[in-house]
Amino acid sequence: MRSRERVALSRPVADEVRKTTCYMCACRCGINVHIKDGKIRYIEGNRDHPVNKGVLCAKGSAGIMQHYAPARLRAPLKRVGPRGSGEFQEISWDEALSLATEWLGKVRRDDPKKLAFFTGRDQSQSLTGFWAQQYGTPNYAAHGGFCSVNMAAAGIMTIGGAFWEFGAPDWDRTKLFVLFGVAEDHDSNPIKIGISKLKKNGARFVSVNPVRTGYSAVADNWIGIRPGTDGLLILAVVHELLKARKIDVDYLVRYTNATWLVIDAPGTVDHGLFARDGDGKPLVHETVTERILPAGSKGARAALSGRVQLDDGRFAVPSFQLLAEKYLDGKYAPEAVAKETGIAAETIRGLAAEIARVAFEEEIFIEQPWTDVNGQRHQGYVGRPVSFHAMRGLSAHSNGFQTTRALHMLQVLIGAIDCPGGFRFEPPYPKPISAHPTPHGRAEHFGSNKPLSGPHLGFPRGPEDLLIDEEGRPNRIDKAFSWDAPIAAHGMMHMVIANAHAGDPYPVDVLFLYMANMAWNSSMNTAGVIKMLEDKDEKTGEYRIPKIIYADAYASEMVAYADLVLPDTTYLERYDCISLLDRPISEPDAVQDAIRWPVLEPDRDVRGFQTVMLDLGARLGLPGFADNHGKALYKNYADYIVRHERRPGIGPLAGFRGLNGDRTGRGAANPDQLKRYIENGSFFSAHIPMEAQFFKHANQAYQDFAVRMGFFDTPQPVTFQLYQETLQKFRLSAEGLREPKAPETHRQRILDAFDPLPDWYRPLGEALLDRNEYPYHAITQRPAAMYHSWGSMNAWLRQIHTRNPLYVPGPICDELGLKDGDWVWVISHHGRIKVEAARMEAVNGSTIWTWNAIGKREGAWALNTNVPEARKGFLMNHLIHELLPPQADGMRWSNSDPVTGQAAWYDLRVRIERAEKGDNVIEPLFPPVAQPEPEPHPEQLRYGQEWAQ
C-alpha cells in the first residue's frame, strides 16, 4: 500500500482522535480512540506505537462495547441481604470509603495479617503491592500464581529473565522458531506480527501444543504433544544434542555456571552446593595450571569435566559434568520418551537435528565491536538463529517450573540467549537473583500500624528465607513461601478463599479483592468456593469470611458475594501506568513504558481503583500515602504517577523526567510528564545503543546503560544458572542436613521436585489417579477474541463466541459413537459436567479441550438468564479441586506446583460418557445470580444515535 493511501485510510471520521493504551488483554497495544459528540465512534490501532504498530485484534476494536457495556457498575454498593442474594443499596463514596476505612483500620490496629488483599489481572501491581506493604499485611499478591509464576520464576532463576513480558524472539533474524503451549490470545498482536515476519523471511515455525488452533494452525510443523510431558520432550532433545556434541562450549564457559565446582560429599551440609573461596566466590578447576581458582579469574581456562580434590580434602566436579551424566542417561532417549509424550522417536530426533543444524550451520555474525563485563573486546555478535517462546501450556502444570527450566537450559546449551536470532531480553531484564528482594512477611516483619520491612514477593535464596513461624507454620494465608510452596514468587491466589474459610493457617477478618472473579472462572472448585463465600459459622452465625470488599468495573459473578462494592471506571476513563517497575512493554532494542488517560470522563458515580487506593491509604494514615499530619500526599493517581519516587529520581515512568522533561530513566519529577506522554501517543521509547543491544547479561555497555536508566545502581551481570544451588539447599533441608529442617510431611515431596538440574516428573494430579479410570487429559485454551470474563460479555465479541463446545478427538468420537451436537458427561475424581461435544481431528488423541472464559452464570454481567453463554457455555473449573486427592495418610496437598505454588489447571484427567437425550442444557446449571440493577439498555445493542445517547 502506498503512503498516500495509508493516510487516506486513517483520515479521522470524528471530532477528535485521542491516543491511549488498550486494556482488552495484556498486550497493551497503542490505540486511537475516535470521539464524536462526546461519544466513542470507533477504535483503531496506533501505527506509531512500538508494540502493535497499528495492528489491532478483535478485542481491541471491541473496546468501544467494553466502555458502553450495560454490565458497568454505576455507584458504590452496600450489601443489605444475604450474600449471593444481589440485594444491595447504593451509597455515596463518602459512606463507602468511611466504611472501608473503618473495617481496614480496625484490622490494622488489631492484627494486620487478618487482611487478605489480592488483585486480579490489573496492571498496577507496583502501587497495590506498595499499598499492602505500607498497610503491614503479609497477605498480598496478584494473579500470577494462577497464570505464569512457573514461567517467571524458572526464567529469572535460570537466565535472569523470562518469556512474555521479559523477553521476545528475535523475529527479524531467527531462522527456526519453536513455540510451546501458547494460546492465540496471548501477546497476540506482537506474535502475529512476528509470525508474519517469519513467513516473509522463510524461517521455519514449529508449534508444540496438544491443540492445533490459532498460531499452531499456521505452523510449518505441529507437534501434538500429550499435556504435561513437554519437559520430557525437551530433555530428550537435550539428550540428542549432547550425544551429537552439538552445544556451544565457548558460550557455556563464558556465560554460565557450567564450570563451577559442585561439592560431592553425600551426607554433609554442603553436598551439592558450589565450592567457594573465603569471599564466597564459586571455584573452578583451571585446566592449564591445574589449580582451583575463583570463577572469572582472568586468563583461566575452566574445565567442564573432571573430579578434583579441594584444599579441604573434599571432592568436587563441574556442574556441567553432572548435567551431561544426567541427560545422557538412556531414559531420556527419544525411544524411551515416545510413549509418554505421544511423539514418535523420529520426530524428536528430527526436531533436535533441526535445532542443531540451524544453530551451528546457519550462524549469524553482526559486525559490532563490544566489550564484555570481564573487559574482553569482541569484534561482533555471534548469533544462533533458533528462538523459543512459551507460556501457559508449560506453566499451568505441577511440573511446570522444572519444564520451563529445561527449555531455558536448552536455549543456553546452544548459545541462543540474547544473541542475534535467538531469545532476547527486554529491559529492565536481565536481572540476577541478587537484584531481586527476598520475600517479606515473617512475624518480625509486621505488627500493628507498622509497614512491612520490605516487599511481599521475591525470591528466597534458601530455606532460611521462608515466611514461616518458629514451629514451621506459614505466615501467609495462601501458604506462599512456606514448605508447601517455597518459591511462590507470585503468591497463591487460588488458595486464599479455601484457606481463609478453613482458618488454616488462621482466619481473616477482611478479604479485599480487585478484578478477581473468584466466584466463577478464576477459581478451581467453583461450586465449592461459592459455598465458602456463603458459609457461616455454626456457633456464631457470622460468615466464615466476615467481610468482603470487592472492586470491579462490571457486575461479574463475584459482585453478588461482596459486602461492599467499589465501582471502578473503564480503562478509557482513568489514568493507568504501564511501568518499568511493574509489567514493562519494552522491546529488545528499546526501553518502553506507557500510560492510559481519561479520553472520556465517567458518566456514572465511579472512581478509578488506583485513586481509591490512594484515598484509602491517606484515610488510614499509611506511610507513603499520608504525611505526619494525616494529610494525603497525592491528590489522585495521576499525581502519584508524576511525583512518587521509589528511589531518588526513579518513579513509575521513565520518560520525560527532569524539570524540563529532558531526562530519561533517572530524573526529578516533571509536572508536565503526563502531558508529554499524551502528546507522544501515550508511550515513551528510548533506543538502546547498538553496542549494548545483545548479550545484555554480560555486555558492559548495556550494564552501564542500565545504571544510567536507573534499573540498577551498580552493574548487575547475570551468570546463567544451569545448576540451581537454591533448589539443592531445600533438598538438604529435606534430608535433615540444613536448618531450618523441612517437616517430615514435606521431605519426600521436596526431594522429588527440587532437583538442582531441570527434571521431569509426572504431573501430581495425574500421578495420584488411575489413568485407566480417567484416560483423557482435559485442558482449556483462550480464544483469540476473548480475554477472561470481561470479553465474553462484550456485545461485539459475543457475536464470535457465544458458547463453547467440548472438542473431542475423532478416534474417541468413533469409539463412543459421538457426532457434533451430541451431549456428554465429563467426569473427574472431583465432579461431573454435562456439555455439548464437537468432533476435532487436529488435537492430541488423548486430549479433550474447550475454550475458557466463555461460560457465564445466569444473571451475571447484565446478560439475560437464557443466553447461550449460561446454558451452553461451561467451565472446566467445576471438575478441578484446589486440593489434590487425599493420600493414604489423609494429607491433601494444594493442586499446585510444589516449587512455586503455580495453580495446576492443566493436570486434569477425566473420562467421558454419552449423555441421555434431554433438554440440551449444561450441568451443573446454577440458579441465576442476582445482581445490582443494571443501567437500562435495549434488547438489541448496536452503535447508533439512539443507543449512544
Side-chain angles (χ1 to χ4, degrees):
M1 185 178 290
R2 294 191 300 274
S3 177
R4 182 173 298 175
E5 292 173 324
R6 284 173 58 105
V7 173
L9 282 176
S10 295
R11 188 169 294 149
V13 294
D15 299 332
E16 186 179 359
V17 176
R18 297 178 177 176
K19 299 177 184 294
T20 186
T21 305
C22 189
Y23 196 29
M24 294 296 288
C25 77
C27 282
R28 295 152 298 171
C29 297
I31 54 174
N32 299 339
V33 182
H34 292 244
I35 297 173
K36 185 176 179 64
D37 299 328
K39 299 287 184 179
I40 301 172
R41 180 67 177 268
Y42 78 97
I43 297 172
E44 67 173 346
N46 178 357
R47 293 177 180 172
D48 297 321
H49 198 277
V51 169
N52 60 313
K53 301 174 178 63
V55 175
L56 200 62
C57 67
K59 299 186 294 294
S61 299
I64 181 173
M65 289 303 192
Q66 203 73 13
H67 177 74
Y68 290 118
R72 293 180 304 175
L73 296 169
R74 62 188 183 191
L77 300 168
K78 181 172 70 173
R79 181 177 58 81
V80 294
R83 281 191 192 157
S85 68
E87 297 176 30
F88 289 95
Q89 173 187 339
E90 285 194 4
I91 59 176
S92 69
W93 273 102
D94 280 344
E95 183 178 352
L97 293 170
S98 295
L99 192 57
T101 302
E102 176 189 335
W103 294 355
L104 295 169
K106 184 178 186 306
V107 172
R108 187 166 184 254
R109 290 189 301 271
D110 294 346
D111 189 352
K113 74 174 183 293
K114 294 295 186 71
L115 168 64
F117 177 41
F118 287 78
T119 71
R121 289 166 178 84
D122 73 294
Q123 295 167 13
S124 55
Q125 292 162 27
S126 65
L127 168 64
T128 53
F130 181 65
W131 189 96
Q133 180 183 334
Q134 301 308 101
Y135 181 94
T137 178
N139 294 316
Y140 165 80
H143 80 288
F146 283 162
C147 173
S148 59
V149 65
N150 276 337
M151 200 59 53
I156 289 169
M157 292 177 68
T158 307
I159 62 171
F163 298 118
W164 182 206
E165 291 160 319
F166 308 149
D170 188 345
W171 297 111
D172 293 308
R173 300 179 183 89
T174 193
K175 299 179 182 179
L176 173 62
F177 174 53
V178 186
L179 184 71
F180 281 87
V182 177
E184 51 257 45
D185 79 306
H186 175 76
D187 201 15
S188 58
N189 291 330
I191 287 184
K192 283 182 282 190
I193 295 169
I195 290 174
S196 71
K197 289 181 178 180
L198 298 180
K199 298 290 185 180
K200 179 180 178 181
N201 295 338
R204 189 170 181 179
F205 170 23
V206 178
S207 179
V208 183
N209 198 315
V211 180
R212 190 169 197 179
T213 61
Y215 307 136
S216 298
V218 298
D220 299 295
N221 300 91
W222 170 60
I223 298 177
I225 196 163
R226 199 166 69 75
T229 65
D230 304 77
L232 201 53
L233 169 67
I234 294 165
L235 295 180
V237 170
V238 169
H239 172 92
E240 289 294 290
L241 294 176
L242 289 170
K243 199 166 70 168
R245 298 177 181 248
K246 293 293 186 178
I247 59 174
D248 192 332
V249 173
D250 182 65
Y251 190 94
L252 291 173
V253 171
R254 286 181 186 275
Y255 305 126
T256 81
N257 67 0
T259 61
W260 294 8
L261 293 172
V262 178
I263 296 169
D264 182 15
T268 69
V269 71
D270 292 326
H271 175 63
L273 303 183
F274 292 122
R276 299 178 184 272
D277 66 11
D279 295 324
K281 293 182 179 179
L283 300 175
V284 299
H285 180 224
E286 207 281 322
T287 58
V288 176
T289 63
E290 297 189 348
R291 294 165 56 200
I292 307 297
L293 299 173
S297 296
K298 195 166 185 177
R301 299 180 61 182
L304 287 168
S305 63
R307 181 177 168 87
V308 297
Q309 191 167 22
L310 305 173
D311 291 342
D312 59 12
R314 295 178 300 177
F315 289 91
V317 296
S319 67
F320 181 79
Q321 179 169 321
L322 300 177
L323 183 153
E325 290 172 351
K326 180 180 176 77
Y327 304 122
L328 283 171
D329 190 293
K331 71 179 182 179
Y332 295 111
E335 290 82 2
V337 308
K339 182 178 180 182
E340 188 76 42
T341 61
I343 307 302
E346 54 267 29
T347 300
I348 299 172
R349 273 201 209 87
L351 177 61
E354 184 67 359
I355 290 171
R357 185 191 67 78
V358 175
F360 298 106
E361 295 180 23
E362 298 195 28
E363 175 183 296
I364 294 173
F365 186 78
I366 296 178
E367 292 188 11
Q368 169 61 58
W370 64 285
T371 303
D372 66 29
V373 291
N374 294 319
Q376 183 169 347
R377 191 71 172 163
H378 303 264
Q379 292 308 305
Y381 298 119
V382 175
R384 308 289 179 201
V386 180
S387 60
F388 299 85
H389 188 60
M391 196 51 192
R392 191 165 295 105
L394 300 193
S395 186
H397 288 287
S398 53
N399 61 12
F401 173 76
Q402 291 284 20
T403 292
T404 310
R405 286 187 68 222
L407 183 54
H408 287 303
M409 177 181 68
L410 170 57
Q411 294 185 99
V412 172
L413 287 173
I414 61 172
I417 298 284
D418 213 48
C419 68
F423 168 85
R424 298 183 63 194
F425 292 117
E426 296 174 341
Y429 292 86
K431 297 180 182 180
I433 284 293
S434 58
H436 292 266
T438 57
H440 292 74
R442 285 196 185 125
E444 62 267 28
H445 293 159
F446 59 88
S448 296
N449 290 320
K450 286 175 52 181
L452 288 189
S453 56
H456 301 80
L457 306 177
F459 289 87
R461 311 307 196 248
E464 62 275 12
D465 292 327
L466 291 179
L467 302 184
I468 54 178
D469 65 17
E470 292 180 355
E471 297 181 9
R473 293 174 301 202
N475 279 332
R476 287 177 53 108
I477 189 66
D478 59 357
K479 302 186 181 180
F481 306 112
S482 74
W483 294 110
D484 282 32
I487 309 179
H490 285 172
M492 299 174 65
M493 190 172 178
H494 58 294
M495 293 306 301
V496 172
I497 291 173
N499 290 350
H501 175 266
D504 177 20
Y506 47 78
V508 301
D509 290 337
V510 177
L511 174 64
F512 191 176
L513 299 175
Y514 173 48
M515 209 171 65
N517 195 15
M518 303 304 292
W520 197 243
N521 66 289
S522 289
S523 64
M524 298 171 166
N525 184 22
T526 302
V529 168
I530 290 172
K531 185 177 184 304
M532 294 173 198
L533 295 171
E534 296 177 332
D535 205 11
K536 294 184 176 181
D537 185 277
E538 294 180 0
K539 294 181 180 178
T540 66
E542 299 296 322
Y543 285 108
R544 298 289 293 271
I545 301 175
K547 294 180 175 64
I548 299 175
I549 304 173
Y550 186 56
D552 205 323
Y554 305 102
S556 72
E557 286 87 352
M558 185 62 207
V559 167
Y561 298 93
D563 304 308
L564 177 64
V565 179
L566 305 177
D568 193 15
T569 63
T570 73
Y571 70 100
L572 296 173
E573 298 170 318
R574 66 165 179 257
Y575 281 98
D576 268 337
C577 179
I578 298 96
S579 171
L580 292 167
L581 301 178
D582 198 345
R583 302 178 66 181
I585 59 164
S586 295
E587 296 294 328
D589 297 340
V591 178
Q592 296 168 180
D593 57 16
I595 66 164
R596 297 185 187 91
W597 60 285
V599 299
L600 290 176
E601 291 298 322
D603 57 1
R604 309 163 316 287
D605 192 15
V606 298
R607 297 182 184 180
F609 176 71
Q610 295 90 342
T611 292
V612 169
M613 294 305 296
L614 293 169
D615 192 336
L616 284 173
R619 289 170 183 251
L620 292 165
L622 303 186
F625 294 90
D627 63 19
N628 293 334
H629 302 288
K631 184 179 178 181
L633 292 177
Y634 304 103
K635 292 182 294 185
N636 50 36
Y637 190 43
D639 188 35
Y640 174 93
I641 292 172
V642 171
R643 294 198 300 112
H644 176 72
E645 288 187 329
R646 197 53 57 92
R647 306 197 316 273
I650 307 296
L653 292 173
F656 308 112
R657 299 194 67 81
L659 296 179
N660 298 317
D662 56 358
R663 303 292 296 275
T664 298
R666 298 176 185 265
N670 170 17
D672 292 326
Q673 187 180 39
L674 294 178
K675 178 183 176 183
R676 295 287 300 275
Y677 268 82
I678 292 169
E679 292 171 347
N680 197 55
S682 294
F683 69 91
F684 176 80
S685 183
H687 192 72
I688 301 172
M690 188 62 186
E691 187 183 4
Q693 283 188 15
F694 296 96
F695 295 88
K696 298 181 184 76
H697 51 282
N699 185 322
Q700 189 61 55
Y702 175 78
Q703 293 292 318
D704 294 341
F705 172 83
V707 171
R708 290 195 303 273
M709 286 293 300
F711 304 158
F712 317 116
D713 292 329
T714 59
Q716 298 283 340
V718 178
T719 301
F720 300 149
Q721 302 292 300
L722 298 176
Y723 183 97
Q724 181 49 250
E725 186 179 52
T726 295
L727 299 181
Q728 179 61 15
K729 290 178 181 178
F730 280 100
R731 284 166 63 103
L732 291 171
S733 291
E735 292 176 5
L737 298 172
R738 185 182 180 91
E739 295 290 344
K741 294 183 176 67
E744 289 286 349
T745 50
H746 293 66
R747 291 189 176 186
Q748 192 58 51
R749 175 179 164 94
I750 291 171
L751 290 172
D752 291 342
F754 281 65
D755 196 310
L757 288 167
D759 199 22
W760 183 85
Y761 51 86
R762 186 167 288 163
L764 302 182
E766 180 180 346
L768 292 172
L769 295 174
D770 182 340
R771 295 207 290 179
N772 293 319
E773 184 178 359
Y774 301 102
Y776 308 127
H777 299 272
I779 62 173
T780 60
Q781 297 221 120
R782 293 200 305 227
M786 297 292 180
Y787 186 71
H788 301 289
S789 300
W790 62 63
S792 49
M793 61 86 180
N794 183 292
W796 286 359
L797 300 179
R798 290 184 66 221
Q799 297 178 56
I800 302 173
H801 296 283
T802 57
R803 59 204 285 185
N804 55 307
L806 179 78
Y807 293 101
V808 182
I812 299 176
C813 288
D814 293 339
E815 180 183 344
L816 298 178
L818 296 176
K819 62 182 184 299
D820 285 359
D822 286 346
W823 285 71
V824 297
W825 287 100
V826 186
I827 303 161
S828 73
H829 78 280
H830 170 61
R832 52 194 283 132
I833 58 177
K834 189 179 77 172
V835 300
E836 187 178 10
R839 184 186 184 103
M840 184 175 182
E841 305 299 340
V843 60
N844 173 273
S846 64
T847 302
I848 62 175
W849 72 281
T850 193
W851 300 117
N852 73 359
I854 293 174
K856 291 277 175 284
R857 184 168 177 182
E858 286 192 311
W861 301 96
L863 299 174
N864 289 334
T865 56
N866 61 349
V867 293
E869 290 90 344
R871 294 189 159 259
K872 300 207 177 215
F874 68 93
L875 301 179
M876 288 281 197
N877 308 46
H878 302 304
L879 300 174
I880 309 171
H881 203 286
E882 70 269 6
L883 301 176
L884 292 172
Q887 296 181 301
D889 60 1
M891 173 74 78
R892 295 196 72 175
W893 298 105
S894 163
N895 187 11
S896 312
D897 189 303
V899 182
T900 66
Q902 161 90 52
W905 297 98
Y906 287 1
D907 286 3
L908 180 62
R909 298 280 298 200
V910 300
R911 67 176 184 269
I912 59 175
E913 299 173 359
R914 176 189 283 276
E916 296 295 327
K917 290 186 178 180
D919 55 6
N920 289 352
V921 175
I922 62 155
E923 292 187 33
L925 182 65
F926 289 74
V929 63
Q931 293 283 16
E933 189 67 27
E935 295 181 359
H937 63 277
E939 285 297 311
Q940 210 173 43
L941 280 184
R942 61 182 181 179
Y943 190 86
Q945 192 70 19
E946 72 282 356
W947 176 56
Q949 289 182 344

